[in-house]
Amino acid sequence: MGFTNYHGHCYYCDGKGKPAEYLTEAIRQQMPVYGFSSHAPLPYALPWPMQEADSRAYTEEIARLKAQYASQIEVYTGMEVDFIPGVAGPKQARIRRLNLDYTIGSVHFVDFFENGDPWEIDGSHPVFLAGYQQIFQGNIEKAIRRYYALIRQMVEQDTPDIVGHLDKIKIQSEEGQLFDEHANWYREEIDHTLAVIAKAGVVVEVNTRGLYKKKSAEPYPSYWIVERMHTLGIPVMLNADAHAPEEISRHFAAVAERLQQTGYSHFRILRQGRWQDVPFTTQGIGA
């Protein structure tokens, strides 16, 4: 039996290809479950979120595919929802009205430029540098602390089912020159954030996109964070953050092996309509 993937985009947002193309590949890989999580709409002129007018068509298309492929694979409808205080979040009424199977809560933006534009922390590096200089007066520690404070606020006040790419901000670290994820203050932020996540009981994805896009040497989150998560009993799932059908299980076998080395033996997944813990190997999940 193969792996599962719940972090998958398609042509409704910035992914490539129709949802059916992802399912065809998932079936070829003997995946028992596949979840779609296109970027939820946002009130900004951005190239990657879904358009508000397309959100109902998205859920309806996935529902049709769920029925069409029911004998071959379980299909679930989710969204990756940005948390922006006062603007967007996983529990926002417009998201609840879609009756999704699950949400992935992610922080892509940290506060705002003077002109009102949100500061995107995982976009281009020049934009990242401009934001921490202009919004945080060049204090990178203050900027990073704010990022993790927003993740904690999301988990406590606008709780998603899954926390998305927990430490993705590390892609801007300039290989540790701009900030060091092993510095005491950084580890304090991680420990504080993991304590909040553990209390909430939500799932943290181990996201392989940084590896196969060559943006990071380890998944999101890094393995030292995964070790802390295991100590706290935080459940995990393995996700690809796929934006093309060929990406739906990239680096899964190698990362699964490393997760086993940290002590994890089970993934928490949505299957048969309920969240459950299932054993995994480097080949996928068990029965």
Side-chain angles (χ1 to χ4, degrees):
M1 185 172 288
F3 287 100
T4 59
N5 179 49
Y6 296 86
H7 196 153
H9 301 274
C10 61
Y11 69 178
Y12 279 97
C13 56
D14 60 342
K16 298 177 181 178
K18 300 176 181 179
E21 296 174 38
Y22 290 81
L23 294 182
T24 298
E25 178 60 21
I27 292 167
R28 188 191 71 78
Q29 295 188 26
Q30 297 183 312
M31 284 187 165
V33 184
Y34 194 84
F36 290 95
S37 60
S38 282
H39 291 289
L42 286 169
Y44 306 113
L46 296 164
W48 48 266
M50 186 187 309
Q51 296 300 306
E52 188 72 51
D54 292 334
S55 59
R56 185 59 64 181
Y58 166 75
T59 59
E60 290 175 351
E61 181 168 352
I62 305 304
R64 287 194 300 271
L65 294 171
K66 186 181 298 189
Q68 179 181 341
Y69 289 91
S71 64
Q72 298 172 275
I73 190 171
E74 286 186 41
V75 179
Y76 290 98
T77 312
M79 278 189 180
E80 183 178 10
V81 186
D82 274 87
F83 177 69
I84 306 172
V87 176
K91 298 296 185 186
Q92 198 173 43
R94 65 186 180 87
I95 299 297
R96 293 200 306 269
R97 283 194 294 268
L98 294 171
N99 295 314
L100 301 171
D101 295 316
Y102 67 94
T103 56
I104 298 175
S106 297
V107 172
H108 293 99
F109 301 101
V110 177
D111 296 342
F112 300 85
F113 290 101
E114 287 186 2
N115 66 359
D117 290 341
W119 176 41
E120 189 174 357
I121 59 87
D122 72 340
S124 72
H125 193 56
V127 169
F128 181 87
L129 295 177
Y132 103 86
Q133 289 288 348
Q134 295 177 30
I135 301 169
F136 295 96
Q137 297 75 50
N139 188 328
I140 192 64
E141 179 179 334
K142 185 177 179 182
I144 303 299
R145 286 187 183 275
R146 177 60 177 154
Y147 170 75
Y148 284 110
L150 286 169
I151 293 176
R152 294 192 294 269
Q153 184 180 353
M154 174 184 71
V155 170
E156 290 180 319
Q157 300 177 11
D158 215 333
T159 317
D161 297 296
I162 303 161
V163 175
H165 45 61
L166 177 65
D167 65 344
K168 192 174 185 181
I169 201 165
K170 71 187 177 188
I171 65 174
Q172 306 288 2
S173 73
E174 297 178 358
E175 298 182 341
Q177 297 304 305
L178 188 58
F179 63 91
D180 179 7
E181 65 176 301
H182 299 291
N184 288 337
W185 65 266
Y186 189 94
R187 289 186 173 236
E188 288 171 2
E189 286 299 311
I190 291 295
D191 288 342
H192 186 185
T193 304
L194 294 184
V196 170
I197 290 171
K199 183 178 180 180
V202 295
V203 186
V204 173
E205 69 168 9
V206 178
N207 181 315
T208 64
R209 186 165 180 80
L211 288 170
Y212 65 81
K213 298 300 288 186
K214 302 187 185 306
K215 290 188 175 183
S216 63
E218 296 188 0
Y220 316 128
S222 296
Y223 291 119
W224 68 267
I225 300 175
V226 173
E227 291 174 0
R228 279 166 152 74
M229 287 163 47
H230 179 257
T231 300
L232 293 170
I234 295 172
V236 297
M237 60 167 45
L238 186 56
N239 282 337
D241 202 344
H243 285 65
E246 62 269 19
E247 295 174 350
I248 63 173
S249 64
R250 286 275 177 89
H251 287 267
F252 274 20
V255 174
E257 183 175 10
R258 288 294 301 272
L259 292 178
Q260 288 179 323
Q261 292 170 5
T262 68
Y264 277 103
S265 60
H266 288 69
F267 291 144
R268 181 160 296 175
I269 65 169
L270 181 59
R271 191 178 184 192
Q272 298 171 336
R274 64 184 179 88
W275 291 96
Q276 52 186 288
D277 294 325
V278 298
F280 70 89
T281 70
T282 58
Q283 302 302 311
I285 66 167

